[in-house]
Amino acid sequence: GGPPLHADAVAQPAEPGNGNNWTAAAALAVALPPLPDLQAADITWPAGDPTDGTTIPLAAVGTNAGTGAATAAFTVRFEIDGHLLGRQTVAGGLGVGASTTVFQDWRVQAGTHTVQVKVDESNTVYESIEGNNARIENLPTVASADLVVDAIDWSPPAPTDSDDVTLTVIVRNAGPRTTSRDFAVR
C-alpha cells in the first residue's frame, strides 16, 4: 500500500484523450510500537481529621496502563490549591501494568484545600495518552483553632515610672480544634 496516486490530476489541453488517466487509493497501515500510558491512579492521606499545623504524608499512586514500559525516569508533581508543594522522582521508570507510590509531606493548614498530582509532569515519557496524567482530590476540611485573650495582668499592680513591668496574658483556644502551630502574643 501507499498514498493515493493521481496521474494528470489536472487535465492538460495539449494531451489528446484524457481517458487513460487513472487514480488509485490504498489503505496505509502503520504499526505503532507498544507505548506506556502513565496515570495518576489515586491520592491518599492518613485517616481521621488532620490538625492544623501538623505534618502528614500525601501518597500518590502512579500506574502504567499502557502496552509498553516507561523506561525513562519521570517526576510526580504535588500541588495544594494549585501551588507547587513538591516533586518526587520515579527513577527506574514503570513496567507494563506496574504501579508505584510516592510520598510528599504537607504541613496542614486550616480550611478547605485540594491536592493535585501530575504524573510525568514534564512529559519526558512518550505515551499513548498524555491527557490522563493528573488527578485532583478534595482534602478533608480542617477546622481552625480560635485563640482569644482571656485575661491580661501586670506586676507590680501599681507601677511607677521607673519600674520594670511584667505582663501576664492568658490565651485560650475557643475554637473547635487544636492547633500545633506556633503563635505570638504582641
Side-chain angles (χ1 to χ4, degrees):
L5 301 173
H6 300 281
D8 196 16
V10 178
Q12 301 292 325
E15 182 180 342
N18 280 332
N20 64 349
N21 295 336
W22 55 274
T23 299
L28 181 61
V30 177
L32 293 175
L35 295 174
D37 177 16
L38 299 177
Q39 300 176 4
D42 199 10
I43 305 171
T44 60
W45 48 86
D49 294 329
T51 301
D52 180 44
T54 60
T55 300
I56 63 170
L58 301 173
V61 178
T63 62
N64 180 358
T67 58
T71 57
F74 58 91
T75 58
V76 178
R77 177 185 174 102
F78 287 81
E79 296 178 358
I80 296 290
D81 301 327
H83 302 285
L84 175 66
L85 178 63
R87 292 179 175 91
Q88 300 300 322
T89 300
V90 178
L94 201 56
V96 175
S99 63
T100 187
T101 303
V102 294
F103 297 92
Q104 178 67 52
D105 284 340
W106 176 53
R107 185 165 186 210
V108 176
Q109 300 172 357
T112 302
H113 303 282
T114 59
V115 58
Q116 179 169 330
V117 170
K118 294 179 182 174
V119 176
D120 190 27
E121 73 161 322
S122 302
N123 291 327
T124 56
V125 176
Y126 183 69
E127 301 176 61
S128 59
I129 302 171
E130 292 286 354
N132 60 356
N133 292 21
R135 182 180 189 93
I136 191 165
E137 296 282 346
N138 293 319
L139 291 165
T141 299
V142 179
S144 62
D146 183 12
L147 302 178
V148 295
V149 175
D150 270 350
I152 301 174
D153 197 8
W154 54 89
S155 177
T160 62
D161 189 29
S162 61
D163 288 344
D164 287 333
V165 175
T166 301
L167 294 174
T168 303
V169 178
I170 298 173
V171 178
R172 175 177 53 93
N173 180 4
R177 294 294 303 225
T178 62
T179 183
S180 296
R181 289 188 182 280
D182 293 340
F183 61 91
V185 177
R186 291 185 0 177

